[in-house]
Amino acid sequence: MYDIYFFIYHLKNCPFDFLQESKYTNPQKGIDTNALLLDILRGIDSSLISEEQLQDEEQFKGFSSEHLCSLHIAAWFFSLDFFRDKKILASSIKTFLFNELALLSKFVKYNQWLTDEDRTEEFVRSALLHCAIIPDNETPEEARDRLDSLSILKRNNILSESKAAFERIIEIRKAMADKKAREAANVYGRE
Protein backbone atom coordinates (compact mmCIF):
# COMPACT_ATOMS: atom_id res chain seq x y z
CA MET A 1 0.00 0.00 0.00
CA TYR A 2 1.94 3.00 -1.30
CA ASP A 3 -0.89 5.30 -2.32
CA ILE A 4 0.73 8.72 -2.81
CA TYR A 5 -2.46 10.48 -1.69
CA PHE A 6 -2.39 8.62 1.63
CA PHE A 7 1.03 10.16 2.35
CA ILE A 8 0.01 13.60 1.04
CA TYR A 9 -3.11 13.56 3.21
CA HIS A 10 -1.03 12.72 6.28
CA LEU A 11 1.49 15.49 5.58
CA LYS A 12 -1.22 18.11 5.02
CA ASN A 13 -2.70 17.26 8.43
CA CYS A 14 0.46 18.32 10.24
CA PRO A 15 -0.55 19.65 13.69
CA PHE A 16 0.17 23.24 14.64
CA ASP A 17 2.57 22.10 17.39
CA PHE A 18 4.97 20.78 14.74
CA LEU A 19 5.07 24.20 13.06
CA GLN A 20 6.62 25.98 16.02
CA GLU A 21 10.07 27.54 15.89
CA SER A 22 13.07 25.52 16.98
CA LYS A 23 14.90 26.18 20.22
CA TYR A 24 17.96 26.69 18.04
CA THR A 25 16.44 29.90 16.64
CA ASN A 26 14.23 30.81 19.62
CA PRO A 27 15.76 29.44 22.85
CA GLN A 28 12.91 30.69 25.08
CA LYS A 29 9.88 29.40 23.17
CA GLY A 30 11.20 26.99 20.55
CA ILE A 31 10.82 23.24 20.54
CA ASP A 32 13.82 20.91 20.75
CA THR A 33 14.31 19.81 17.15
CA ASN A 34 16.81 17.09 18.10
CA ALA A 35 14.47 15.58 20.72
CA LEU A 36 11.51 15.71 18.34
CA LEU A 37 13.44 13.94 15.58
CA LEU A 38 14.85 11.37 18.00
CA ASP A 39 11.35 10.56 19.28
CA ILE A 40 10.20 9.89 15.74
CA LEU A 41 13.34 8.03 14.68
CA ARG A 42 13.20 5.77 17.75
CA GLY A 43 9.84 4.58 16.44
CA ILE A 44 11.60 3.67 13.21
CA ASP A 45 14.83 2.35 14.76
CA SER A 46 14.44 1.35 18.42
CA SER A 47 18.22 1.01 18.85
CA LEU A 48 18.63 4.80 19.00
CA ILE A 49 19.51 5.99 22.50
CA SER A 50 17.36 8.73 24.02
CA GLU A 51 20.34 10.94 24.92
CA GLU A 52 21.85 10.69 21.45
CA GLN A 53 22.40 13.82 19.37
CA LEU A 54 21.49 13.49 15.70
CA GLN A 55 23.65 16.49 14.94
CA ASP A 56 26.02 18.52 17.07
CA GLU A 57 24.23 21.41 18.78
CA GLU A 58 26.36 23.91 16.84
CA GLN A 59 25.30 22.25 13.59
CA PHE A 60 21.65 22.64 14.55
CA LYS A 61 22.31 26.30 15.35
CA GLY A 62 23.81 26.68 11.87
CA PHE A 63 20.65 25.40 10.16
CA SER A 64 18.34 28.02 8.68
CA SER A 65 15.01 28.59 10.41
CA GLU A 66 13.31 27.28 7.24
CA HIS A 67 15.29 24.04 7.44
CA LEU A 68 14.57 23.63 11.17
CA CYS A 69 10.82 24.12 10.68
CA SER A 70 10.94 21.78 7.67
CA LEU A 71 12.57 19.20 9.96
CA HIS A 72 9.58 19.51 12.29
CA ILE A 73 7.22 18.89 9.38
CA ALA A 74 9.35 15.92 8.34
CA ALA A 75 9.13 14.58 11.89
CA TRP A 76 5.35 14.65 11.53
CA PHE A 77 5.55 12.93 8.14
CA PHE A 78 7.78 10.12 9.40
CA SER A 79 5.61 9.65 12.51
CA LEU A 80 3.17 7.82 10.25
CA ASP A 81 2.66 4.22 11.41
CA PHE A 82 3.75 3.09 7.96
CA PHE A 83 7.38 3.88 8.91
CA ARG A 84 7.22 2.29 12.38
CA ASP A 85 9.84 -0.40 13.06
CA LYS A 86 11.41 -0.10 9.60
CA LYS A 87 14.97 0.20 10.87
CA ILE A 88 16.33 -0.26 7.37
CA LEU A 89 14.93 3.17 6.43
CA ALA A 90 16.61 5.13 9.27
CA SER A 91 19.77 6.01 7.35
CA SER A 92 17.82 7.10 4.25
CA ILE A 93 15.49 9.21 6.38
CA LYS A 94 18.46 10.95 8.04
CA THR A 95 19.92 11.69 4.61
CA PHE A 96 16.60 13.20 3.55
CA LEU A 97 16.36 15.25 6.76
CA PHE A 98 19.85 16.70 6.83
CA ASN A 99 20.87 16.83 3.16
CA GLU A 100 17.83 17.03 0.90
CA LEU A 101 15.70 19.21 3.18
CA ALA A 102 18.65 21.53 3.82
CA LEU A 103 18.95 22.10 0.08
CA LEU A 104 15.22 22.39 -0.58
CA SER A 105 14.76 24.78 2.35
CA LYS A 106 16.87 27.35 0.54
CA PHE A 107 14.08 27.67 -2.03
CA VAL A 108 10.90 26.67 -0.18
CA LYS A 109 9.40 28.36 2.86
CA TYR A 110 8.45 25.69 5.39
CA ASN A 111 4.72 26.49 5.34
CA GLN A 112 4.63 25.86 1.57
CA TRP A 113 5.18 22.17 2.27
CA LEU A 114 1.62 22.20 3.61
CA THR A 115 -0.12 24.94 1.62
CA ASP A 116 1.22 24.59 -1.94
CA GLU A 117 -0.03 21.43 -3.68
CA ASP A 118 3.12 21.00 -5.80
CA ARG A 119 5.46 21.52 -2.86
CA THR A 120 3.45 19.05 -0.74
CA GLU A 121 3.69 16.41 -3.43
CA GLU A 122 7.37 17.20 -3.98
CA PHE A 123 8.08 16.74 -0.26
CA VAL A 124 6.25 13.40 -0.15
CA ARG A 125 7.78 12.08 -3.36
CA SER A 126 11.28 13.14 -2.37
CA ALA A 127 10.95 11.55 1.08
CA LEU A 128 9.59 8.33 -0.40
CA LEU A 129 12.23 8.21 -3.13
CA HIS A 130 14.97 8.58 -0.51
CA CYS A 131 13.45 5.52 1.20
CA ALA A 132 13.27 3.65 -2.14
CA ILE A 133 9.48 3.55 -1.91
CA ILE A 134 7.69 3.78 -5.25
CA PRO A 135 4.04 4.91 -5.18
CA ASP A 136 1.37 2.48 -6.37
CA ASN A 137 0.77 2.23 -10.11
CA GLU A 138 4.10 3.89 -10.97
CA THR A 139 7.35 2.48 -12.23
CA PRO A 140 10.57 3.79 -10.68
CA GLU A 141 11.11 5.87 -13.84
CA GLU A 142 7.62 7.35 -13.68
CA ALA A 143 8.10 8.19 -10.00
CA ARG A 144 11.41 9.97 -10.75
CA ASP A 145 9.88 11.78 -13.74
CA ARG A 146 6.97 13.00 -11.63
CA LEU A 147 9.35 14.24 -8.94
CA ASP A 148 11.51 15.94 -11.60
CA SER A 149 8.43 17.70 -12.99
CA LEU A 150 7.67 19.09 -9.51
CA SER A 151 11.24 19.80 -8.44
CA ILE A 152 11.83 23.36 -7.30
CA LEU A 153 15.57 22.74 -7.75
CA LYS A 154 15.18 21.76 -11.40
CA ARG A 155 12.85 24.68 -12.00
CA ASN A 156 15.37 27.12 -10.53
CA ASN A 157 18.16 25.57 -12.63
CA ILE A 158 16.12 26.02 -15.80
CA LEU A 159 15.33 29.62 -14.89
CA SER A 160 19.02 30.30 -14.17
CA GLU A 161 20.05 28.75 -17.48
CA SER A 162 17.40 30.75 -19.33
CA LYS A 163 18.51 33.96 -17.65
CA ALA A 164 22.15 33.25 -18.50
CA ALA A 165 21.25 32.55 -22.13
CA PHE A 166 19.19 35.76 -22.32
CA GLU A 167 22.05 37.78 -20.81
CA ARG A 168 24.44 36.24 -23.34
CA ILE A 169 22.14 37.25 -26.20
CA ILE A 170 22.03 40.82 -24.85
CA GLU A 171 25.87 40.85 -24.67
CA ILE A 172 26.17 39.64 -28.27
CA ARG A 173 23.64 42.22 -29.52
CA LYS A 174 25.44 44.99 -27.63
CA ALA A 175 28.81 43.88 -29.05
CA MET A 176 27.33 43.81 -32.57
CA ALA A 177 25.80 47.28 -32.09
CA ASP A 178 29.14 48.61 -30.77
CA LYS A 179 30.97 47.11 -33.75
CA LYS A 180 28.45 48.61 -36.17
CA ALA A 181 28.80 52.02 -34.47
CA ARG A 182 32.62 51.85 -34.71
CA GLU A 183 32.43 50.89 -38.39
CA ALA A 184 30.02 53.77 -39.04
CA ALA A 185 32.34 56.14 -37.17
CA ASN A 186 35.31 54.94 -39.24
CA VAL A 187 33.44 55.54 -42.47
CA TYR A 188 32.29 58.97 -41.26
CA GLY A 189 35.84 59.82 -40.14
CA ARG A 190 37.28 59.02 -43.61
CA GLU A 191 34.79 61.26 -45.44
Side-chain angles (χ1 to χ4, degrees), residues 50-67:
S50 62
E51 298 85 33
E52 191 172 337
Q53 278 286 115
L54 291 171
Q55 297 284 325
D56 182 84
E57 188 149 331
E58 291 306 311
Q59 287 175 303
F60 271 117
K61 287 179 181 177
F63 292 164
S64 72
S65 60
E66 294 297 334
H67 183 202

Side-chain angles (χ1 to χ4, degrees), residues 106-124:
K106 292 177 183 177
F107 302 100
V108 179
K109 295 206 175 294
Y110 75 92
N111 60 336
Q112 289 180 299
W113 295 126
L114 306 174
T115 60
D116 182 301
E117 297 296 325
D118 285 345
R119 299 297 65 84
T120 303
E121 187 174 348
E122 179 180 9
F123 184 102
V124 169

